[in-house]
């Protein structure tokens, strides 16, 4: 039986040198693993962080992004609801994002400082002009969720 | 907080001295369809063995090699996993052993570190380090998203798919804390675009005023296009050897007196406050007034612990007491103007908070105390990621050998790449370089290496 090609071609873009166009079109099936709770929390308008369960550990503040194990002592972390208010630690308005960016531009990115949290979560300001130290509150995209970190955003408090 | 235990800050040592014998480059271009990656690597290797005044013929070098290290940042870009196997085959090094190294933007530095470890331990005595990147198979916007895949894909990449934005967040905070005007950052871009004008290898040379840089389109505020590194195609090769082999191959090897690495969290967000790790030219006194005003933490968003760690180890390993005094030449990983100024502080050219003085004083220029990036750097010359850390050390080697003019000034070399040597060309040979430093840097400071080369 003769082998037949499936009919797709690699389009020629140039002859010298020979340059062809290879199509890539597929999905990655990505698991958030133990961090999934955080993203499920966003759908319930909750900001879920983690805290080390080891009373002897030197770090008792919250981690956001959450971690399943404590990097300081390798003990398990417990899930805790973090405050949904904070302040802008730094900001930048993105004008030329990379190809898969799902939000409109210009888009103000922010790093958020939250009391009791030892990290500064990266996010974006949905409304208003970002300024250093500006009080902000979390808003959650639950209507048509992207199921990514973009479901969390902030607006002036 | 990171607390160091007694073993964590052990100063690395080489059991045997490590030497740098030869280097080779291709030119660097935004698009390079004329040559595939194997051809580019072969071209750089041939320059290393044919044009570095070696005492032996290229075939002899081939027969001396006993281990190879390959350096490519992203399989995404080349769309070829295990590309090192293919390059190794096309370079004719089978069945010798090899290893491919990947640490993001610092891949080149880490690859040289891996090769140095092989030579220093006696595992091998003649090791080519071959680096390349092929970033032209996708559009710039897709390329930026590939690079941003090297940010945290769960919590950060979706926020812009663009590394310039992550550096812009640091820039805003750094400038807020340290009161640095945009003009100071623009001066770094002017310098490196200008130096790139005198290199036949460079991709993005240009004569710009500070105002031109400030007026340029902004990618993510405050960083403009001309303040960001280029995306390149090209290759670089550096050959390392032990002392006996080095002098068998050349009369002018340079000694790699140290190369050390540091790391920090992939996400800038996770960098908690800790005491400043002091370099040999700093004391507690240096920072008694640091945590005042808008500065509350270190390294935070304004400093790179990975760079500080790499410099701490390398300076102690090589006996560096004061980098501005002890080095005659520096190549930094100027991926963005802001990261360059941050690095000045991390590697102790100025104390934290005063990095602007290194550029504003003129120290960083050819005429200054520590000429920095006469290669044109990543902003002016190239950032074919896997090749970058190697490119820096090739340029350093040629500078130290007094061969900069040989590899940059010959009009034939310009025409080799279809270019014309500029009428106002000037030599960027730094006279009498005895000791030089090169910094290779990844992510928003996830991996950094600090290499120190000196005259034996």
């Amino acid at each position: 039986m003769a082998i037949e090609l499936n009919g797709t071609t690699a389009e020629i873009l140039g002859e010298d040198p020979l340059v062809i166009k290879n199509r890539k079109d597929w999905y990655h099936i990505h698991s958030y693993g133990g961090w999934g709770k955080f993203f499920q929390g966003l759908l319930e308008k909750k900001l879920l962080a983690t805290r080390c369960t080891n009373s002897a550990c030197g770090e008792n503040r919250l981690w956001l992004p959450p971690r399943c194990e404590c990097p300081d002592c390798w003990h398990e972390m417990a899930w805790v609801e973090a405050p949904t208010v904070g302040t802008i630690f730094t900001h930048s308005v993105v004008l030329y994002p990379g190809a898969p960016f799902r939000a409109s531009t210009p888009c103000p990115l922010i790093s958020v400082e939250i009391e009791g949290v030892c990290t500064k979560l990266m996010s974006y300001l949905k409304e208003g002009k970002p300024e250093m130290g500006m009080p902000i509150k979390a808003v959650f995209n639950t209507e048509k969720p992207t199921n990514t970190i973009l479901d969390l955003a902030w607006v002036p408090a | 907080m990171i607390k160091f235990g007694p073993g964590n800050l052990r100063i690395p040592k080489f059991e045997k001295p490590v030497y740098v014998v030869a280097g080779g480059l291709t030119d660097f271009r935004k698009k390079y369809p004329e040559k595939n990656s194997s051809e580019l690597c072969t071209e750089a290797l041939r320059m290393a063995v044919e044009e570095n005044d070696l005492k032996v013929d290229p075939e002899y070098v081939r027969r001396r090699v006993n281990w190879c290290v390959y350096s490519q940042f992203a399989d995404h870009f080349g769309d070829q996993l295990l590309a090192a196997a293919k390059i190794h085959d096309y370079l004719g090094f089978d069945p010798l052993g090899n290893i491919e190294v990947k640490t993001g933007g610092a891949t080149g530095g880490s690859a040289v570190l891996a090769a140095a470890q092989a030579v220093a331990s006696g595992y091998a005595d003649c090791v080519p380090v071959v680096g390349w990147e092929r970033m032209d198979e996708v559009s710039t916007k897709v390329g930026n998203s590939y690079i941003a895949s090297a940010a945290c894909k769960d919590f950060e990449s979706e926020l812009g798919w663009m590394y310039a934005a992550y550096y812009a967040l640091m820039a805003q905070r750094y400038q807020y804390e340290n009161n640095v005007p945009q003009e100071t950052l623009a001066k770094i871009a002017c310098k490196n675009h200008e130096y790139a004008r005198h290199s036949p290898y460079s991709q993005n040379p240009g004569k710009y005023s500070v105002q031109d840089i400030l007026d340029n389109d902004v990618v993510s505020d405050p960083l403009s296009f001309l303040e960001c590194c280029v995306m390149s195609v090209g290759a670089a090769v550096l050959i390392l050897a032990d002392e006996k082999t080095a002098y068998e191959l050349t009369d002018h090897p340079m000694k790699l007196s140290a190369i050390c690495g540091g790391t920090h969290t992939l996400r800038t967000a996770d960098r908690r406050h800790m005491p400043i790790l002091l370099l040999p030219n700093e004391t507690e006194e240096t920072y008694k007034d640091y945590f005042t005003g808008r500065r509350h933490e270190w390294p935070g968003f304004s400093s790179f612990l990975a760079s500080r760690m790499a410099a701490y180890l390398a300076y102690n390993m090589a006996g560096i007491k004061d980098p501005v005094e002890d080095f005659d030449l520096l190549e930094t990983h100027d991926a963005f103007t802001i990261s360059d100024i941050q690095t000045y502080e991390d590697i102790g050219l100025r104390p934290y908070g005063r990095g602007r003085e290194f550029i504003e004083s003129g120290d960083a220029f050819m005429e200054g105390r520590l000429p920095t990036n006469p290669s044109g750097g990543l902003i002016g010359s190239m950032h074919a990621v896997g090749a970058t850390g190697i490119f820096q050390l090739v340029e350093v080697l040629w500078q130290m050998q007094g061969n900069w003019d040989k590899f940059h000034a010959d009009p034939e070399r310009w025409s080799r790449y279809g270019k014309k040597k500029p009428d106002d060309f000037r030599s960027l040979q730094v006279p009498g370089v005895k000791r030089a430093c090169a910094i290779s840097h990844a992510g928003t400071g996830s991996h950094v290496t600090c290499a120190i080369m000196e005259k034996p």
Side-chain angles (χ1 to χ4, degrees), chain A residues 30-121:
Chain A
H30 176 54
S31 168
Y32 287 123
W35 304 329
K37 273 198 175 68
F38 169 85
F39 295 94
Q40 286 158 341
L42 297 182
L43 300 177
E44 297 167 17
K45 303 194 173 186
K46 287 179 186 168
L47 195 51
L48 293 179
T50 57
R51 190 196 311 274
C52 183
T53 55
N54 175 10
S55 57
C57 180
E59 183 61 84
N60 60 10
R61 293 173 294 174
L62 297 178
W63 288 84
L64 200 61
R67 297 180 180 229
C68 301
E69 296 86 21
C70 175
D72 288 359
C73 69
W74 301 331
H75 277 64
E76 273 185 37
M77 301 276 233
W79 289 91
V80 182
E81 266 189 63
T84 52
V85 292
T87 52
I88 293 181
F89 182 75
T90 190
H91 56 82
S92 173
V93 177
V94 184
L95 293 136
Y96 294 93
F101 190 49
R102 299 173 208 258
S104 56
T105 53
C107 178
L109 294 191
I110 53 174
S111 294
V112 186
E113 194 163 28
I114 303 171
E115 201 174 338
V117 176
C118 70
T119 49
K120 294 177 185 70
L121 186 69

Side-chain angles (χ1 to χ4, degrees), chain B residues 234-275:
Chain B
V237 168
L238 194 71
I239 300 176
L240 302 190
D242 69 358
E243 184 169 308
K244 182 168 170 287
T245 312
Y247 282 99
E248 187 188 339
L249 300 181
T250 175
D251 286 331
H252 308 287
M254 293 297 146
K255 191 174 169 187
L256 189 64
S257 45
I259 179 164
C260 300
T263 64
H264 206 191
T265 60
L266 182 59
R267 293 189 297 259
T268 320
D270 291 39
R271 295 177 185 169
R272 293 169 291 163
H273 174 65
M274 62 180 280

